[in-house]
Amino acid sequence: MKKIGIVIALLAVSLFFFVGKSDSKLQPYYSGDAVDFNNKVVFATANSGKIEIFKSENRTITKTLEITNYNNIFNINDSYSDLKLSIENGKLYVYAVSQYTLFKYNISDLYSAQLEKRVSNNYWEWYQRVDRFGSNIATVSEKGIKIYNSDLQVIDAYNFSAENPYSIRSNASQQYLFAVDNDNIRVYDRLSRTVVREIPLAFAYKSNNHRVYFDSVNNEIYAIDDTYTKKFDFNGNLLASFRHLEYPGYEVDSTYGNPFIYFSNGTGVVKMNKDNFSVSSFAYTSMIGGPQGWAMGLKVVNTDKGDVVVVFNGSNIVLLDKNLKEIDSIKSNTYSASVSSNENLSLNLSSYWVLANAPLTISGTGFWSSEPLLIKFGNAGFDAKADNSGRFTKEIVVPNMLPGRYDIKVTGVNSALTYSSSIEVK
C-alpha cells in the first residue's frame, strides 16, 4: 500500500510540471453516460450542447452520431444540458433535456436518431438534468424532481434538490435518492418524502461535480471528498477510508454485485476492493488521451470481458479496461468561443511572506476563459474563477499552519493548466 501511494504521489507531482500557454479552444468533457449494447460499449455526452454518441468496438472508439436541437423560431441551436442512455425491449434510446423540454430518441442503429417523444412544460421549469431513478425516467430542476411513466407523463414529484443537481442519483434504488450538498451526503426517502440521513464529508473545492455510489446489495454508501474515499453503512457509520492525493474528489461508481469500486480525482482513476478497501490498480489520466486530461465524470460498464471504465477526461474521453489499462481514447473536436487565453501562465502573490490567519491576495493569468480554478495551499483548498481573459484574483485567509516555506498551486479544472509559487509563512 505504501509503495502504491508513493507511485501515485510521484505521478501527481508530474502533473504540476505540465505548464504552458493554452492554445486550445476545445469544449471539455466532464460528464455523460454509458451502456453495453449489442456487445459494444456505447457512451454519450451533452457537454458540447449537442448529443454526441460514441461506440467502442474492437478496441477502437468511433463517434457515430451528433444530434442538434434546432430552434426554428430564432434560427439557432438550443443546447442540450444532459442526457441518459436507456435500453428498452432490445432497443437503445437516449433521453435528453433542453430548457423546458424532455426528448426521447431511438438511436438503436447508432447512426441515426428518430424522435419518439417530446414533452415541454408551460410553467417555466428549466430542466437541468435527466436520469433514471429506480425504474423511471426523471428530470431534475431547481424546483425539484419529476417522475415520468413510459409515455413521458408526470406521475410523481419530489421536493428534493441540491446546490449542484449533478450529484443527485439513485443507483437503481427504488426507494432512495442520494445527493452531495453542503459538505453532506443527503439521503432522500421517496416513500416518506423526507431527508432521512445526512452524512458529513469535507470539500475544499465545493463547486465541483460530486457523486456517491450506493451499493444496494450490501446497503453501503461509497463517497469521495477532497481528502478521503470513504465507505459508510446506511446509518452513516464510517466503515473504511482511504487517503487519496487531496485533489478534488469527483465521482465513485461501480455496477450491481461488483466487488470493486472506481473513483476519479482529477489526476486519474483508482480501482479499489470493496471488502478490504485496498488499491487494486490505478491510472494517471492527465496524458493518456493527450494533453489537458483531467478525470471528472466516470461510468463503469460491465461487459463479458469485465469492467470497462468510461472517463470524461477534460480534453478527451478515455476507455479503460478492468486493470485500468487504456483501451482507446477520443479527443473533443467541439470548439467554444474564447476558451483559451492569449497570455502566458503566471502567478502573483501580494507578499513574499505572510502570517498564519492573515489575508493574502493571489492573482494570475493564462488560464482558459471563465474556467473554474483550484488553489492548493498546504492542506487547504480554495475555489476561484478566471474571467473572460483567463485572469483571476482571489483573496484568501492563510491557513493556520506552522512557520516554513509552502507552495501555492493553481490548477484550471477544464484545461488542467497549472502554475505554482512558493511563500514563506512566519
Side-chain angles (χ1 to χ4, degrees), residues 74-93:
F74 297 104
N75 295 319
I76 60 172
N77 287 323
D78 289 332
S79 294
Y80 296 100
S81 57
D82 195 26
L83 56 77
K84 181 67 179 178
L85 296 172
S86 180
I87 301 173
E88 302 170 14
N89 299 318
K91 297 179 181 180
L92 181 61
Y93 298 90

Side-chain angles (χ1 to χ4, degrees), residues 38-51:
N38 291 342
N39 296 317
K40 304 178 187 69
V41 174
V42 178
F43 55 98
T45 179
N47 293 159
S48 66
K50 302 172 289 186
I51 298 173

Side-chain angles (χ1 to χ4, degrees), residues 65-363:
L65 180 62
E66 284 188 357
I67 306 171
T68 56
N69 180 22
Y70 186 69
N71 186 321
N72 291 305
I73 297 176
F74 297 104
N75 295 319
I76 60 172
N77 287 323
D78 289 332
S79 294
Y80 296 100
S81 57
D82 195 26
L83 56 77
K84 181 67 179 178
L85 296 172
S86 180
I87 301 173
E88 302 170 14
N89 299 318
K91 297 179 181 180
L92 181 61
Y93 298 90
V94 59
Y95 294 85
V97 285
S98 175
Q99 300 183 9
Y100 317 105
T101 304
L102 170 63
F103 301 84
K104 180 181 181 180
Y105 296 96
N106 185 330
I107 58 167
S108 296
D109 69 359
L110 302 182
Y111 291 91
S112 62
Q114 287 77 46
L115 179 63
E116 295 218 345
K117 206 82 172 177
R118 168 182 173 150
V119 292
S120 300
N121 69 68
N122 55 7
Y123 37 85
W124 305 105
E125 182 172 1
W126 190 289
Y127 299 133
Q128 298 162 312
R129 288 197 52 234
V130 59
D131 205 344
R132 183 173 292 279
F133 294 157
S135 302
N136 298 93
I137 288 294
T139 55
V140 179
S141 76
E142 291 181 350
K143 297 181 179 180
I145 295 170
K146 297 286 192 299
I147 306 295
Y148 299 79
N149 63 15
S150 58
D151 292 323
L152 296 191
Q153 299 169 326
V154 176
I155 58 174
D156 208 343
Y158 303 108
N159 184 22
F160 181 60
S161 60
E163 184 176 356
N164 189 341
Y166 180 78
S167 71
I168 301 175
R169 71 191 306 189
S170 76
N171 289 126
S173 172
Q174 299 289 337
Q175 183 172 353
Y176 298 106
L177 300 174
F178 304 84
V180 179
D181 197 26
N182 294 323
D183 282 345
N184 286 290
I185 304 169
R186 300 174 67 218
V187 183
Y188 182 86
D189 186 341
R190 294 170 63 180
L191 297 180
S192 65
R193 298 178 183 272
T194 59
V195 174
V196 295
R197 198 86 66 245
E198 289 196 351
I199 305 170
L201 296 172
F203 293 103
Y205 311 114
K206 300 182 188 300
S207 62
N208 291 329
N209 291 335
H210 308 292
R211 273 183 174 173
V212 305
Y213 177 76
F214 175 59
D215 182 347
S216 59
V217 175
N218 299 307
N219 275 343
E220 293 171 341
I221 301 169
Y222 294 85
I224 179 172
D225 60 25
D226 293 339
T227 307
Y228 292 94
T229 305
K230 300 176 179 179
K231 176 170 69 170
F232 301 93
D233 66 19
F234 193 74
N235 293 320
N237 299 308
L238 181 64
L239 303 178
S241 65
F242 171 79
R243 190 181 186 100
H244 62 87
L245 294 176
E246 298 187 7
Y247 294 105
Y250 288 96
E251 295 198 28
V252 181
D253 199 32
S254 187
T255 54
Y256 183 83
N258 196 325
F260 298 98
I261 61 164
Y262 301 80
F263 70 79
S264 60
N265 70 342
T267 60
V269 178
V270 179
K271 177 181 180 179
M272 296 188 66
N273 188 298
K274 285 181 178 178
D275 288 337
N276 59 22
F277 232 53
S278 62
V279 172
S280 174
S281 55
F282 62 88
Y284 172 66
T285 62
S286 68
M287 296 296 289
I288 281 186
Q292 303 170 358
W294 189 251
M296 292 174 278
L298 78 164
K299 180 71 176 179
V300 181
V301 180
N302 186 254
T303 74
D304 58 359
K305 296 180 181 178
D307 292 341
V308 172
V309 184
V310 182
V311 186
F312 297 91
N313 193 46
S315 64
N316 54 76
I317 303 174
V318 175
L319 265 63
L320 306 174
D321 67 16
K322 62 182 179 181
N323 298 312
L324 297 188
K325 302 299 182 184
E326 182 185 3
I327 297 173
D328 197 12
S329 64
I330 189 164
K331 296 179 181 179
S332 172
N333 64 359
T334 300
Y335 289 80
S336 56
S338 301
V339 170
S340 65
S341 172
N342 291 321
E343 297 182 291
N344 290 323
L345 279 172
S346 69
L347 187 61
N348 300 296
L349 308 177
S350 60
S351 176
Y352 293 107
W353 63 270
V354 74
L355 298 175
N357 302 310
L360 174 68
T361 300
I362 304 170
S363 60

